[in-house]
Amino acid sequence: QVQLVESGGGSVQAGGSLKLSCVASRNTNMRYHMAWFRQPPGEEREGVATIDRDGETSYADSVKGRFTISKDNAKNTLYLQMNSLKPEDTAMYYCALRSAPSYPLWPPRTYEYNYWGQGTQVTVSS
């Protein structure tokens, strides 16, 4: 069993930055694929970025050039650096882990990820 705990959300003005963190309860980052999803109010959960066990990354078109997914294997931690934030980035953000080692990773589908964090809220005001 793996537990994921996100942190780093908050309220910022448009153009600002936030860095989300997701700590895994045991050493997982070297062997599994991971992702960030988000769910705006009243909408479905969508994939934001993925990182495979080798460090290869993929992004949604809406965040390319603004968000960066990364991981620190020694700290069992996944990150999402979010720059140039826009009001449309407002959502609950979730990290997720996929134990199946298969590909492709993009686009990420919620049913492919079997471990989820509790979410951290990001609110961007104009």
Side-chain angles (χ1 to χ4, degrees):
Q1 190 73 9
V2 178
Q3 291 184 327
L4 304 174
V5 180
E6 303 101 331
S7 62
S11 297
V12 296
Q13 290 191 326
S17 297
L18 285 172
K19 186 173 185 178
L20 307 184
S21 299
C22 171
V23 179
S25 59
R26 61 179 178 88
N27 185 13
T28 60
N29 294 351
M30 292 186 69
R31 297 190 301 275
Y32 300 108
H33 306 318
M34 299 193 75
W36 287 98
F37 288 78
R38 67 185 181 187
Q39 188 165 16
E43 299 185 28
E44 293 186 353
R45 198 168 297 189
E46 62 180 6
V48 175
T50 61
I51 186 165
D52 74 5
R53 52 188 175 177
D54 298 320
E56 291 293 318
T57 60
S58 297
Y59 297 92
D61 288 343
S62 59
V63 306
K64 278 181 182 177
R66 300 189 298 122
F67 290 12
T68 302
I69 187 171
S70 62
K71 61 180 181 176
D72 185 329
N73 294 336
K75 296 182 178 179
N76 297 325
T77 303
L78 179 73
Y79 301 101
L80 186 68
Q81 177 68 48
M82 305 185 295
N83 298 328
S84 303
L85 282 161
K86 304 176 180 180
E88 51 263 44
D89 295 318
T90 294
M92 185 71 79
Y93 283 72
Y94 300 89
C95 70
L97 182 148
R98 169 177 163 175
S99 56
S102 58
Y103 289 84
L105 294 188
W106 198 269
R109 299 174 177 84
T110 55
Y111 62 82
E112 295 174 328
Y113 288 79
N114 43 345
Y115 296 101
W116 292 83
Q118 82 288 351
T120 186
Q121 178 68 38
V122 172
T123 302
V124 185
S125 58
S126 57

